[in-house]
Amino acid sequence: MPYWLMKSEPHEFSIDDLARRKVEPWTGVRNYQARNFMRDQMKVGDRVLFYHSSCPVPGVAGIARIVGPAKPDPTQFDPRSDYHDPGSKPDDPRWLCVDVGFVRKLRGVVTLDAIRAQAAKLEGLTLLARGNRLSVFPLAERHYDLILELEPKP
DNA sequence: GCCAACGTTGGC
DNA sequence: GCCAACGTTGGC
């Protein structure tokens, strides 16, 4: 499954931060389903919609791609990290991260409102599923394309 | 800050 | 294995 949506809170890490960093290890995922997607299905080269959550205008803010495969998330072993997991052992890491590379920032955010307005065309999109909280999930290619068609024109 | 929805934990 | 309690997510 070569298309993904990944959420980030922009006050923590935004598309502008990724534009500066170029590549960022996607640390801090602490949900087994999201981890399993990264471990079992993500491939280097896969496309990612970069989603801003928990912010004034939630929505897709940019495009990224997977540039490094799943590997142990170092923050789980750091006692000073918010993501420290004392139950995870270095010889059997519980949490993984992938490397995410910047592709481009959209001309404007494709807002959650705008996406919802196309709900009829986006049937099955996890983002619109009731109670969805997953921070990493696969996208159907047609959903990826349709969302990008909502990008504001120049 | 509120709260619905969901995941995790732990007693039994 | 059940399920109540608790913690987290994320839009509003």
Side-chain angles (χ1 to χ4, degrees), chain A residues 51 58 111-122 125 127-128 150:
Chain A
Y51 182 89
T111 66
L112 181 56
D113 280 350
I115 293 169
R116 285 208 180 109
Q118 302 298 317
K121 291 181 179 174
L122 293 169
L125 177 66
L127 186 69
L128 299 180
L150 301 176

Side-chain angles (χ1 to χ4, degrees), chain A residues 36-104:
Chain A
N36 294 348
F37 281 138
M38 295 196 293
R39 182 189 63 194
D40 302 332
Q41 296 187 43
M42 266 188 182
K43 298 283 186 294
V44 170
D46 286 358
R47 290 282 150 164
V48 176
L49 295 183
F50 191 110
Y51 182 89
H52 283 174
S53 66
S54 295
C55 59
V57 185
V60 174
I63 303 174
R65 64 193 166 100
I66 302 303
V67 298
K71 61 189 178 187
D73 175 346
T75 65
Q76 70 196 301
F77 304 122
D78 179 357
R80 295 164 305 170
S81 169
D82 289 343
Y83 302 117
H84 181 229
D85 181 353
S88 181
K89 302 288 173 261
D91 58 352
D92 185 22
R94 182 175 292 167
W95 304 114
L96 304 173
C97 60
V98 295
D99 284 331
V100 173
F102 180 72
V103 174
R104 71 178 179 91

